[in-house]
Amino acid sequence: MREQILLNIDNPGQLEKLYRNNKPNFKSAFNDLYPQLRENMLAETWYQRLNFSQDELFWGTPGERVFVVAASLVAALLAQLPRLLSLDQEFFYSRNLSFIVFPILIAYFAWKNRISFKTVAGLAVLTLATAVFINALPNETPGRTADTLILACIHLPLLLWSLLGFAFGGGKLRDRANWLGFLRYNGELAVMMVLLLIAGGLTTAITINLFQLIGLRIEDFYFNYVVICGLAAVPVVATFLTQAQPAIVNRVAPLIARLFSPIALVILIIYLGAMVFSGKNPYQDREFLLLFNALLIGVMALIFFSVSGSDAGKKNEIQVQILFLLSAVTILVNGIAMSAVLFRISEWGITPNRLAVLGANLLMLIHLFFVAANLWNAWRKETGLSPVGKIMVTFLPVYALWAAVVTFLFPFIFGFK
């Protein structure tokens, strides 16, 4: 190796081949030779490349760290309000769980992106108005919780999520690149939150068992104060980590999506085949229909994270093929779910739940058709994934609009039933 390096010291292409064929041996031999090659500029470049040491991890500015600590404490305090104010926990958490996290994350990105005061005030007014509205809705119809209230509580996070995306993009509604980055951030956030939750779960298990060894049972106290506060702070801390250390997770989320895309495709095909013989179907079984729609949302998220984490200008043919097939199968799943909802409406009439699911299925079906068409073009015409990313983010405001309709109008349309 030493002889080959000396022989090709002025041949960059050959040096690169030597390095790629045996990186450890090349580095060792080159470092031994370096004292006699100092005057050669190419040798100096290789030495710096081989012996570069990563700078110390950057944990944000002091202001960011203070903001994150304060935001985590505020989230923990909000999570403890039912206990501090003797509020009904079911009432509080069902309606206000989203307000523990989303307003804080919105404030974080508004501060980080230096959004104008006017825009921040608008976001604050919208968030406050939404909080007042959801808490003012009637709690229940005779004997059970109103369907319109449940639907409002389910769609409210999507509405606040869209406001978060607006703040993430610096208050620029029509910047598609920012919205695609927002989708990428969501994938990275999910990965980091899972890692933090795993670490927190291990810490919880160790702590509780250590105290049990000395005869102290702290489960109730630990869950009520430490776990709840920790869960409230996890999204804030995870967001900070994704922004302060993007190199940690910016490759992990798309990698996971790419690894699971072919697995999801195979499982989905097998699942559809098994459904035929299982006796279960979404036309008669309401719970199965709900699970079917949850499956649909999960697969769509997998497609979106795969595309948002990809290089828009490059084409990975196998990846594009898998994503196209996955989108095609997902369209079939969506079609089954939508036909099941229409069947239930024709048999038993329109209800808030059926209309909400029908609207969501219709939007997803249209969206998937456009995504699949652009994936087909990327496959057959050898274009990049940029058009797919554009059509993905184009529909995000439409979902937000539908969430607003279900949250704010359905209770009045259906008489709070």
Side-chain angles (χ1 to χ4, degrees), residues 67-68 70-71 74 99-115 119-121 123-124 127 160 163-168 185 236 239:
F67 189 100
V68 168
V74 170
F99 295 104
I100 296 175
V101 175
F102 280 109
I104 295 174
L105 294 182
I106 291 171
Y108 173 76
F109 284 113
W111 171 74
K112 186 177 177 64
N113 295 325
R114 299 182 179 181
I115 296 177
T119 304
V120 171
L123 289 171
T127 304
L160 294 177
L163 295 181
L164 175 60
F166 180 71
F168 179 92
Y185 152 74
V236 180
T239 293

PDB file of all heavy atoms in Angstrom, residues 67-68 70-71 74 99-115 119-121 123-124 127 160 163-168 185 236 239:
ATOM      1  N   PHE A  67     -34.928  28.612  26.336  1.00  0.00           N
ATOM      2  CA  PHE A  67     -36.295  28.518  25.810  1.00  0.00           C
ATOM      3  C   PHE A  67     -36.828  27.098  25.953  1.00  0.00           C
ATOM      4  O   PHE A  67     -37.979  26.895  26.373  1.00  0.00           O
ATOM      5  CB  PHE A  67     -36.318  28.944  24.345  1.00  0.00           C
ATOM      6  CG  PHE A  67     -37.704  29.088  23.774  1.00  0.00           C
ATOM      7  CD1 PHE A  67     -38.292  30.330  23.651  1.00  0.00           C
ATOM      8  CD2 PHE A  67     -38.439  27.971  23.371  1.00  0.00           C
ATOM      9  CE1 PHE A  67     -39.575  30.467  23.135  1.00  0.00           C
ATOM     10  CE2 PHE A  67     -39.714  28.094  22.852  1.00  0.00           C
ATOM     11  CZ  PHE A  67     -40.278  29.355  22.734  1.00  0.00           C
ATOM     12  N   VAL A  68     -36.004  26.101  25.603  1.00  0.00           N
ATOM     13  CA  VAL A  68     -36.460  24.712  25.650  1.00  0.00           C
ATOM     14  C   VAL A  68     -36.734  24.280  27.086  1.00  0.00           C
ATOM     15  O   VAL A  68     -37.732  23.604  27.364  1.00  0.00           O
ATOM     16  CB  VAL A  68     -35.417  23.792  24.980  1.00  0.00           C
ATOM     17  CG1 VAL A  68     -35.721  22.329  25.275  1.00  0.00           C
ATOM     18  CG2 VAL A  68     -35.400  24.029  23.486  1.00  0.00           C
ATOM     19  N   ALA A  70     -37.556  26.244  29.612  1.00  0.00           N
ATOM     20  CA  ALA A  70     -38.775  26.942  30.049  1.00  0.00           C
ATOM     21  C   ALA A  70     -40.008  26.334  29.400  1.00  0.00           C
ATOM     22  O   ALA A  70     -41.044  26.135  30.071  1.00  0.00           O
ATOM     23  CB  ALA A  70     -38.673  28.430  29.701  1.00  0.00           C
ATOM     24  N   ALA A  71     -39.924  26.012  28.096  1.00  0.00           N
ATOM     25  CA  ALA A  71     -41.065  25.419  27.390  1.00  0.00           C
ATOM     26  C   ALA A  71     -41.401  24.053  27.961  1.00  0.00           C
ATOM     27  O   ALA A  71     -42.586  23.693  28.095  1.00  0.00           O
ATOM     28  CB  ALA A  71     -40.749  25.310  25.899  1.00  0.00           C
ATOM     29  N   VAL A  74     -43.256  24.584  31.168  1.00  0.00           N
ATOM     30  CA  VAL A  74     -44.629  25.029  30.903  1.00  0.00           C
ATOM     31  C   VAL A  74     -45.496  23.848  30.468  1.00  0.00           C
ATOM     32  O   VAL A  74     -46.641  23.695  30.922  1.00  0.00           O
ATOM     33  CB  VAL A  74     -44.641  26.134  29.820  1.00  0.00           C
ATOM     34  CG1 VAL A  74     -46.070  26.431  29.367  1.00  0.00           C
ATOM     35  CG2 VAL A  74     -43.990  27.392  30.352  1.00  0.00           C
ATOM     36  N   PHE A  99     -53.325  21.059  23.326  1.00  0.00           N
ATOM     37  CA  PHE A  99     -52.872  22.384  23.738  1.00  0.00           C
ATOM     38  C   PHE A  99     -51.707  22.320  24.724  1.00  0.00           C
ATOM     39  O   PHE A  99     -51.120  23.356  25.049  1.00  0.00           O
ATOM     40  CB  PHE A  99     -54.032  23.165  24.358  1.00  0.00           C
ATOM     41  CG  PHE A  99     -55.124  23.465  23.373  1.00  0.00           C
ATOM     42  CD1 PHE A  99     -56.302  22.748  23.388  1.00  0.00           C
ATOM     43  CD2 PHE A  99     -54.954  24.453  22.411  1.00  0.00           C
ATOM     44  CE1 PHE A  99     -57.301  23.017  22.471  1.00  0.00           C
ATOM     45  CE2 PHE A  99     -55.953  24.734  21.487  1.00  0.00           C
ATOM     46  CZ  PHE A  99     -57.131  24.011  21.518  1.00  0.00           C
ATOM     47  N   ILE A 100     -51.373  21.133  25.195  1.00  0.00           N
ATOM     48  CA  ILE A 100     -50.209  20.994  26.062  1.00  0.00           C
ATOM     49  C   ILE A 100     -48.918  21.129  25.261  1.00  0.00           C
ATOM     50  O   ILE A 100     -47.915  21.639  25.752  1.00  0.00           O
ATOM     51  CB  ILE A 100     -50.246  19.637  26.805  1.00  0.00           C
ATOM     52  CG1 ILE A 100     -51.459  19.601  27.743  1.00  0.00           C
ATOM     53  CG2 ILE A 100     -48.959  19.390  27.588  1.00  0.00           C
ATOM     54  CD1 ILE A 100     -51.645  18.255  28.429  1.00  0.00           C
ATOM     55  N   VAL A 101     -48.948  20.694  24.011  1.00  0.00           N
ATOM     56  CA  VAL A 101     -47.730  20.617  23.201  1.00  0.00           C
ATOM     57  C   VAL A 101     -47.722  21.600  22.031  1.00  0.00           C
ATOM     58  O   VAL A 101     -46.778  22.369  21.848  1.00  0.00           O
ATOM     59  CB  VAL A 101     -47.525  19.179  22.684  1.00  0.00           C
ATOM     60  CG1 VAL A 101     -46.327  19.122  21.743  1.00  0.00           C
ATOM     61  CG2 VAL A 101     -47.340  18.218  23.845  1.00  0.00           C
ATOM     62  N   PHE A 102     -48.771  21.585  21.197  1.00  0.00           N
ATOM     63  CA  PHE A 102     -48.732  22.332  19.938  1.00  0.00           C
ATOM     64  C   PHE A 102     -48.485  23.833  20.110  1.00  0.00           C
ATOM     65  O   PHE A 102     -47.649  24.406  19.385  1.00  0.00           O
ATOM     66  CB  PHE A 102     -50.016  22.094  19.140  1.00  0.00           C
ATOM     67  CG  PHE A 102     -50.021  20.800  18.380  1.00  0.00           C
ATOM     68  CD1 PHE A 102     -50.838  19.754  18.770  1.00  0.00           C
ATOM     69  CD2 PHE A 102     -49.189  20.610  17.285  1.00  0.00           C
ATOM     70  CE1 PHE A 102     -50.842  18.548  18.080  1.00  0.00           C
ATOM     71  CE2 PHE A 102     -49.187  19.416  16.586  1.00  0.00           C
ATOM     72  CZ  PHE A 102     -50.011  18.383  16.988  1.00  0.00           C
ATOM     73  N   PRO A 103     -49.173  24.532  21.032  1.00  0.00           N
ATOM     74  CA  PRO A 103     -48.883  25.971  21.164  1.00  0.00           C
ATOM     75  C   PRO A 103     -47.431  26.249  21.534  1.00  0.00           C
ATOM     76  O   PRO A 103     -46.853  27.259  21.081  1.00  0.00           O
ATOM     77  CB  PRO A 103     -49.841  26.417  22.274  1.00  0.00           C
ATOM     78  CG  PRO A 103     -50.956  25.424  22.236  1.00  0.00           C
ATOM     79  CD  PRO A 103     -50.300  24.122  21.881  1.00  0.00           C
ATOM     80  N   ILE A 104     -46.827  25.369  22.330  1.00  0.00           N
ATOM     81  CA  ILE A 104     -45.431  25.565  22.728  1.00  0.00           C
ATOM     82  C   ILE A 104     -44.503  25.371  21.530  1.00  0.00           C
ATOM     83  O   ILE A 104     -43.561  26.147  21.323  1.00  0.00           O
ATOM     84  CB  ILE A 104     -45.070  24.605  23.870  1.00  0.00           C
ATOM     85  CG1 ILE A 104     -45.890  24.959  25.115  1.00  0.00           C
ATOM     86  CG2 ILE A 104     -43.581  24.659  24.183  1.00  0.00           C
ATOM     87  CD1 ILE A 104     -45.724  23.997  26.260  1.00  0.00           C
ATOM     88  N   LEU A 105     -44.773  24.346  20.719  1.00  0.00           N
ATOM     89  CA  LEU A 105     -43.957  24.122  19.524  1.00  0.00           C
ATOM     90  C   LEU A 105     -44.156  25.251  18.511  1.00  0.00           C
ATOM     91  O   LEU A 105     -43.209  25.676  17.838  1.00  0.00           O
ATOM     92  CB  LEU A 105     -44.313  22.780  18.885  1.00  0.00           C
ATOM     93  CG  LEU A 105     -43.984  21.529  19.713  1.00  0.00           C
ATOM     94  CD1 LEU A 105     -44.354  20.270  18.933  1.00  0.00           C
ATOM     95  CD2 LEU A 105     -42.511  21.496  20.091  1.00  0.00           C
ATOM     96  N   ILE A 106     -45.390  25.739  18.400  1.00  0.00           N
ATOM     97  CA  ILE A 106     -45.659  26.879  17.510  1.00  0.00           C
ATOM     98  C   ILE A 106     -44.858  28.096  17.974  1.00  0.00           C
ATOM     99  O   ILE A 106     -44.236  28.802  17.170  1.00  0.00           O
ATOM    100  CB  ILE A 106     -47.169  27.187  17.473  1.00  0.00           C
ATOM    101  CG1 ILE A 106     -47.929  26.061  16.756  1.00  0.00           C
ATOM    102  CG2 ILE A 106     -47.430  28.523  16.783  1.00  0.00           C
ATOM    103  CD1 ILE A 106     -49.435  26.174  16.858  1.00  0.00           C
ATOM    104  N   ALA A 107     -44.866  28.328  19.286  1.00  0.00           N
ATOM    105  CA  ALA A 107     -44.104  29.459  19.838  1.00  0.00           C
ATOM    106  C   ALA A 107     -42.605  29.281  19.591  1.00  0.00           C
ATOM    107  O   ALA A 107     -41.896  30.250  19.294  1.00  0.00           O
ATOM    108  CB  ALA A 107     -44.380  29.588  21.334  1.00  0.00           C
ATOM    109  N   TYR A 108     -42.125  28.041  19.698  1.00  0.00           N
ATOM    110  CA  TYR A 108     -40.695  27.772  19.479  1.00  0.00           C
ATOM    111  C   TYR A 108     -40.275  28.137  18.061  1.00  0.00           C
ATOM    112  O   TYR A 108     -39.284  28.849  17.848  1.00  0.00           O
ATOM    113  CB  TYR A 108     -40.401  26.299  19.765  1.00  0.00           C
ATOM    114  CG  TYR A 108     -38.990  25.873  19.412  1.00  0.00           C
ATOM    115  CD1 TYR A 108     -37.925  26.212  20.231  1.00  0.00           C
ATOM    116  CD2 TYR A 108     -38.728  25.152  18.247  1.00  0.00           C
ATOM    117  CE1 TYR A 108     -36.627  25.835  19.923  1.00  0.00           C
ATOM    118  CE2 TYR A 108     -37.430  24.770  17.917  1.00  0.00           C
ATOM    119  CZ  TYR A 108     -36.392  25.111  18.763  1.00  0.00           C
ATOM    120  OH  TYR A 108     -35.109  24.755  18.437  1.00  0.00           O
ATOM    121  N   PHE A 109     -41.028  27.672  17.074  1.00  0.00           N
ATOM    122  CA  PHE A 109     -40.661  27.952  15.685  1.00  0.00           C
ATOM    123  C   PHE A 109     -40.938  29.411  15.314  1.00  0.00           C
ATOM    124  O   PHE A 109     -40.227  29.983  14.480  1.00  0.00           O
ATOM    125  CB  PHE A 109     -41.386  27.005  14.745  1.00  0.00           C
ATOM    126  CG  PHE A 109     -40.811  25.619  14.736  1.00  0.00           C
ATOM    127  CD1 PHE A 109     -41.539  24.546  15.229  1.00  0.00           C
ATOM    128  CD2 PHE A 109     -39.538  25.390  14.243  1.00  0.00           C
ATOM    129  CE1 PHE A 109     -41.009  23.267  15.229  1.00  0.00           C
ATOM    130  CE2 PHE A 109     -38.990  24.117  14.240  1.00  0.00           C
ATOM    131  CZ  PHE A 109     -39.720  23.051  14.733  1.00  0.00           C
ATOM    132  N   ALA A 110     -41.962  30.000  15.921  1.00  0.00           N
ATOM    133  CA  ALA A 110     -42.210  31.425  15.669  1.00  0.00           C
ATOM    134  C   ALA A 110     -41.041  32.258  16.183  1.00  0.00           C
ATOM    135  O   ALA A 110     -40.607  33.216  15.523  1.00  0.00           O
ATOM    136  CB  ALA A 110     -43.514  31.849  16.343  1.00  0.00           C
ATOM    137  N   TRP A 111     -40.515  31.887  17.350  1.00  0.00           N
ATOM    138  CA  TRP A 111     -39.364  32.592  17.912  1.00  0.00           C
ATOM    139  C   TRP A 111     -38.096  32.300  17.116  1.00  0.00           C
ATOM    140  O   TRP A 111     -37.332  33.210  16.791  1.00  0.00           O
ATOM    141  CB  TRP A 111     -39.189  32.162  19.371  1.00  0.00           C
ATOM    142  CG  TRP A 111     -37.916  32.643  19.993  1.00  0.00           C
ATOM    143  CD1 TRP A 111     -37.615  33.912  20.398  1.00  0.00           C
ATOM    144  CD2 TRP A 111     -36.761  31.840  20.277  1.00  0.00           C
ATOM    145  NE1 TRP A 111     -36.347  33.954  20.920  1.00  0.00           N
ATOM    146  CE2 TRP A 111     -35.793  32.702  20.859  1.00  0.00           C
ATOM    147  CE3 TRP A 111     -36.453  30.496  20.109  1.00  0.00           C
ATOM    148  CZ2 TRP A 111     -34.546  32.237  21.268  1.00  0.00           C
ATOM    149  CZ3 TRP A 111     -35.218  30.039  20.509  1.00  0.00           C
ATOM    150  CH2 TRP A 111     -34.266  30.899  21.078  1.00  0.00           C
ATOM    151  N   LYS A 112     -37.896  31.044  16.765  1.00  0.00           N
ATOM    152  CA  LYS A 112     -36.680  30.644  16.046  1.00  0.00           C
ATOM    153  C   LYS A 112     -36.629  31.260  14.647  1.00  0.00           C
ATOM    154  O   LYS A 112     -35.555  31.663  14.177  1.00  0.00           O
ATOM    155  CB  LYS A 112     -36.632  29.112  15.948  1.00  0.00           C
ATOM    156  CG  LYS A 112     -35.350  28.555  15.339  1.00  0.00           C
ATOM    157  CD  LYS A 112     -35.371  27.044  15.362  1.00  0.00           C
ATOM    158  CE  LYS A 112     -34.138  26.458  14.700  1.00  0.00           C
ATOM    159  NZ  LYS A 112     -32.899  26.812  15.415  1.00  0.00           N
ATOM    160  N   ASN A 113     -37.784  31.342  13.978  1.00  0.00           N
ATOM    161  CA  ASN A 113     -37.839  31.881  12.617  1.00  0.00           C
ATOM    162  C   ASN A 113     -38.112  33.383  12.575  1.00  0.00           C
ATOM    163  O   ASN A 113     -38.266  33.950  11.489  1.00  0.00           O
ATOM    164  CB  ASN A 113     -38.914  31.142  11.807  1.00  0.00           C
ATOM    165  CG  ASN A 113     -38.578  29.679  11.604  1.00  0.00           C
ATOM    166  OD1 ASN A 113     -37.420  29.315  11.448  1.00  0.00           O
ATOM    167  ND2 ASN A 113     -39.594  28.828  11.600  1.00  0.00           N
ATOM    168  N   ARG A 114     -38.216  33.979  13.761  1.00  0.00           N
ATOM    169  CA  ARG A 114     -38.423  35.428  13.860  1.00  0.00           C
ATOM    170  C   ARG A 114     -39.628  35.894  13.049  1.00  0.00           C
ATOM    171  O   ARG A 114     -39.567  36.826  12.245  1.00  0.00           O
ATOM    172  CB  ARG A 114     -37.166  36.175  13.424  1.00  0.00           C
ATOM    173  CG  ARG A 114     -35.955  35.858  14.286  1.00  0.00           C
ATOM    174  CD  ARG A 114     -34.734  36.652  13.870  1.00  0.00           C
ATOM    175  NE  ARG A 114     -33.601  36.338  14.729  1.00  0.00           N
ATOM    176  CZ  ARG A 114     -32.395  36.896  14.615  1.00  0.00           C
ATOM    177  NH1 ARG A 114     -32.191  37.800  13.653  1.00  0.00           N
ATOM    178  NH2 ARG A 114     -31.426  36.562  15.423  1.00  0.00           N
ATOM    179  N   ILE A 115     -40.734  35.209  13.272  1.00  0.00           N
ATOM    180  CA  ILE A 115     -41.979  35.577  12.592  1.00  0.00           C
ATOM    181  C   ILE A 115     -42.464  36.931  13.117  1.00  0.00           C
ATOM    182  O   ILE A 115     -42.305  37.250  14.301  1.00  0.00           O
ATOM    183  CB  ILE A 115     -43.038  34.479  12.804  1.00  0.00           C
ATOM    184  CG1 ILE A 115     -42.575  33.182  12.138  1.00  0.00           C
ATOM    185  CG2 ILE A 115     -44.379  34.889  12.249  1.00  0.00           C
ATOM    186  CD1 ILE A 115     -43.507  32.023  12.333  1.00  0.00           C
ATOM    187  N   THR A 119     -48.136  38.265  12.716  1.00  0.00           N
ATOM    188  CA  THR A 119     -48.415  36.852  12.423  1.00  0.00           C
ATOM    189  C   THR A 119     -48.509  36.044  13.709  1.00  0.00           C
ATOM    190  O   THR A 119     -49.379  35.177  13.849  1.00  0.00           O
ATOM    191  CB  THR A 119     -47.320  36.276  11.515  1.00  0.00           C
ATOM    192  OG1 THR A 119     -47.222  37.064  10.332  1.00  0.00           O
ATOM    193  CG2 THR A 119     -47.638  34.840  11.132  1.00  0.00           C
ATOM    194  N   VAL A 120     -47.604  36.307  14.650  1.00  0.00           N
ATOM    195  CA  VAL A 120     -47.627  35.607  15.939  1.00  0.00           C
ATOM    196  C   VAL A 120     -48.934  35.886  16.669  1.00  0.00           C
ATOM    197  O   VAL A 120     -49.549  34.976  17.251  1.00  0.00           O
ATOM    198  CB  VAL A 120     -46.429  36.033  16.809  1.00  0.00           C
ATOM    199  CG1 VAL A 120     -46.568  35.488  18.228  1.00  0.00           C
ATOM    200  CG2 VAL A 120     -45.125  35.537  16.192  1.00  0.00           C
ATOM    201  N   ALA A 121     -49.377  37.137  16.633  1.00  0.00           N
ATOM    202  CA  ALA A 121     -50.642  37.495  17.285  1.00  0.00           C
ATOM    203  C   ALA A 121     -51.805  36.753  16.637  1.00  0.00           C
ATOM    204  O   ALA A 121     -52.716  36.272  17.339  1.00  0.00           O
ATOM    205  CB  ALA A 121     -50.856  39.000  17.196  1.00  0.00           C
ATOM    206  N   LEU A 123     -51.661  33.808  15.110  1.00  0.00           N
ATOM    207  CA  LEU A 123     -51.583  32.408  15.542  1.00  0.00           C
ATOM    208  C   LEU A 123     -52.082  32.248  16.972  1.00  0.00           C
ATOM    209  O   LEU A 123     -52.787  31.280  17.290  1.00  0.00           O
ATOM    210  CB  LEU A 123     -50.127  31.921  15.441  1.00  0.00           C
ATOM    211  CG  LEU A 123     -49.574  31.713  14.031  1.00  0.00           C
ATOM    212  CD1 LEU A 123     -48.069  31.447  14.079  1.00  0.00           C
ATOM    213  CD2 LEU A 123     -50.281  30.549  13.339  1.00  0.00           C
ATOM    214  N   ALA A 124     -51.733  33.204  17.837  1.00  0.00           N
ATOM    215  CA  ALA A 124     -52.168  33.134  19.230  1.00  0.00           C
ATOM    216  C   ALA A 124     -53.686  33.252  19.348  1.00  0.00           C
ATOM    217  O   ALA A 124     -54.321  32.514  20.112  1.00  0.00           O
ATOM    218  CB  ALA A 124     -51.485  34.244  20.041  1.00  0.00           C
ATOM    219  N   THR A 127     -55.310  29.993  18.096  1.00  0.00           N
ATOM    220  CA  THR A 127     -55.130  28.917  19.079  1.00  0.00           C
ATOM    221  C   THR A 127     -56.040  29.118  20.282  1.00  0.00           C
ATOM    222  O   THR A 127     -56.689  28.174  20.755  1.00  0.00           O
ATOM    223  CB  THR A 127     -53.661  28.857  19.532  1.00  0.00           C
ATOM    224  OG1 THR A 127     -52.814  28.698  18.387  1.00  0.00           O
ATOM    225  CG2 THR A 127     -53.439  27.698  20.485  1.00  0.00           C
ATOM    226  N   LEU A 160     -54.288  22.097  14.651  1.00  0.00           N
ATOM    227  CA  LEU A 160     -53.135  22.714  15.313  1.00  0.00           C
ATOM    228  C   LEU A 160     -51.829  22.312  14.631  1.00  0.00           C
ATOM    229  O   LEU A 160     -50.872  23.095  14.583  1.00  0.00           O
ATOM    230  CB  LEU A 160     -53.117  22.313  16.790  1.00  0.00           C
ATOM    231  CG  LEU A 160     -54.277  22.837  17.638  1.00  0.00           C
ATOM    232  CD1 LEU A 160     -54.187  22.311  19.060  1.00  0.00           C
ATOM    233  CD2 LEU A 160     -54.296  24.355  17.640  1.00  0.00           C
ATOM    234  N   LEU A 163     -51.175  24.660  11.880  1.00  0.00           N
ATOM    235  CA  LEU A 163     -50.638  25.929  12.378  1.00  0.00           C
ATOM    236  C   LEU A 163     -49.155  25.783  12.715  1.00  0.00           C
ATOM    237  O   LEU A 163     -48.363  26.710  12.492  1.00  0.00           O
ATOM    238  CB  LEU A 163     -51.422  26.386  13.617  1.00  0.00           C
ATOM    239  CG  LEU A 163     -52.893  26.744  13.412  1.00  0.00           C
ATOM    240  CD1 LEU A 163     -53.514  27.201  14.724  1.00  0.00           C
ATOM    241  CD2 LEU A 163     -53.052  27.818  12.340  1.00  0.00           C
ATOM    242  N   LEU A 164     -48.792  24.616  13.243  1.00  0.00           N
ATOM    243  CA  LEU A 164     -47.385  24.351  13.516  1.00  0.00           C
ATOM    244  C   LEU A 164     -46.567  24.355  12.226  1.00  0.00           C
ATOM    245  O   LEU A 164     -45.455  24.896  12.179  1.00  0.00           O
ATOM    246  CB  LEU A 164     -47.238  23.001  14.235  1.00  0.00           C
ATOM    247  CG  LEU A 164     -45.812  22.510  14.497  1.00  0.00           C
ATOM    248  CD1 LEU A 164     -45.040  23.499  15.366  1.00  0.00           C
ATOM    249  CD2 LEU A 164     -45.836  21.131  15.149  1.00  0.00           C
ATOM    250  N   GLY A 165     -47.111  23.754  11.169  1.00  0.00           N
ATOM    251  CA  GLY A 165     -46.432  23.766   9.881  1.00  0.00           C
ATOM    252  C   GLY A 165     -46.251  25.176   9.349  1.00  0.00           C
ATOM    253  O   GLY A 165     -45.207  25.500   8.760  1.00  0.00           O
ATOM    254  N   PHE A 166     -47.239  26.023   9.556  1.00  0.00           N
ATOM    255  CA  PHE A 166     -47.155  27.416   9.129  1.00  0.00           C
ATOM    256  C   PHE A 166     -46.030  28.129   9.874  1.00  0.00           C
ATOM    257  O   PHE A 166     -45.236  28.872   9.268  1.00  0.00           O
ATOM    258  CB  PHE A 166     -48.499  28.100   9.379  1.00  0.00           C
ATOM    259  CG  PHE A 166     -48.542  29.541   8.990  1.00  0.00           C
ATOM    260  CD1 PHE A 166     -48.530  29.926   7.662  1.00  0.00           C
ATOM    261  CD2 PHE A 166     -48.604  30.528   9.959  1.00  0.00           C
ATOM    262  CE1 PHE A 166     -48.569  31.268   7.296  1.00  0.00           C
ATOM    263  CE2 PHE A 166     -48.651  31.871   9.618  1.00  0.00           C
ATOM    264  CZ  PHE A 166     -48.640  32.234   8.280  1.00  0.00           C
ATOM    265  N   ALA A 167     -45.932  27.894  11.193  1.00  0.00           N
ATOM    266  CA  ALA A 167     -44.858  28.507  11.982  1.00  0.00           C
ATOM    267  C   ALA A 167     -43.502  27.926  11.618  1.00  0.00           C
ATOM    268  O   ALA A 167     -42.498  28.641  11.568  1.00  0.00           O
ATOM    269  CB  ALA A 167     -45.136  28.308  13.474  1.00  0.00           C
ATOM    270  N   PHE A 168     -43.470  26.619  11.346  1.00  0.00           N
ATOM    271  CA  PHE A 168     -42.218  25.961  10.959  1.00  0.00           C
ATOM    272  C   PHE A 168     -41.651  26.593   9.689  1.00  0.00           C
ATOM    273  O   PHE A 168     -40.427  26.750   9.544  1.00  0.00           O
ATOM    274  CB  PHE A 168     -42.476  24.472  10.731  1.00  0.00           C
ATOM    275  CG  PHE A 168     -41.259  23.695  10.293  1.00  0.00           C
ATOM    276  CD1 PHE A 168     -40.438  23.080  11.222  1.00  0.00           C
ATOM    277  CD2 PHE A 168     -40.945  23.561   8.936  1.00  0.00           C
ATOM    278  CE1 PHE A 168     -39.319  22.357  10.825  1.00  0.00           C
ATOM    279  CE2 PHE A 168     -39.832  22.844   8.531  1.00  0.00           C
ATOM    280  CZ  PHE A 168     -39.020  22.248   9.481  1.00  0.00           C
ATOM    281  N   TYR A 185     -39.505  16.969   9.013  1.00  0.00           N
ATOM    282  CA  TYR A 185     -39.364  17.211  10.456  1.00  0.00           C
ATOM    283  C   TYR A 185     -40.252  16.275  11.267  1.00  0.00           C
ATOM    284  O   TYR A 185     -39.850  15.779  12.323  1.00  0.00           O
ATOM    285  CB  TYR A 185     -39.698  18.677  10.764  1.00  0.00           C
ATOM    286  CG  TYR A 185     -40.236  18.930  12.147  1.00  0.00           C
ATOM    287  CD1 TYR A 185     -39.410  18.888  13.259  1.00  0.00           C
ATOM    288  CD2 TYR A 185     -41.591  19.203  12.337  1.00  0.00           C
ATOM    289  CE1 TYR A 185     -39.909  19.114  14.538  1.00  0.00           C
ATOM    290  CE2 TYR A 185     -42.102  19.448  13.593  1.00  0.00           C
ATOM    291  CZ  TYR A 185     -41.266  19.394  14.697  1.00  0.00           C
ATOM    292  OH  TYR A 185     -41.764  19.610  15.956  1.00  0.00           O
ATOM    293  N   VAL A 236     -41.158  18.614  23.000  1.00  0.00           N
ATOM    294  CA  VAL A 236     -40.370  19.851  23.004  1.00  0.00           C
ATOM    295  C   VAL A 236     -38.882  19.528  22.920  1.00  0.00           C
ATOM    296  O   VAL A 236     -38.148  20.096  22.106  1.00  0.00           O
ATOM    297  CB  VAL A 236     -40.676  20.678  24.279  1.00  0.00           C
ATOM    298  CG1 VAL A 236     -39.849  21.961  24.282  1.00  0.00           C
ATOM    299  CG2 VAL A 236     -42.155  20.997  24.372  1.00  0.00           C
ATOM    300  N   THR A 239     -37.995  18.024  19.517  1.00  0.00           N
ATOM    301  CA  THR A 239     -37.931  19.068  18.488  1.00  0.00           C
ATOM    302  C   THR A 239     -36.611  19.819  18.566  1.00  0.00           C
ATOM    303  O   THR A 239     -35.959  20.082  17.540  1.00  0.00           O
ATOM    304  CB  THR A 239     -39.108  20.045  18.656  1.00  0.00           C
ATOM    305  OG1 THR A 239     -40.325  19.359  18.360  1.00  0.00           O
ATOM    306  CG2 THR A 239     -38.969  21.241  17.721  1.00  0.00           C
TER     307      THR A 239
END
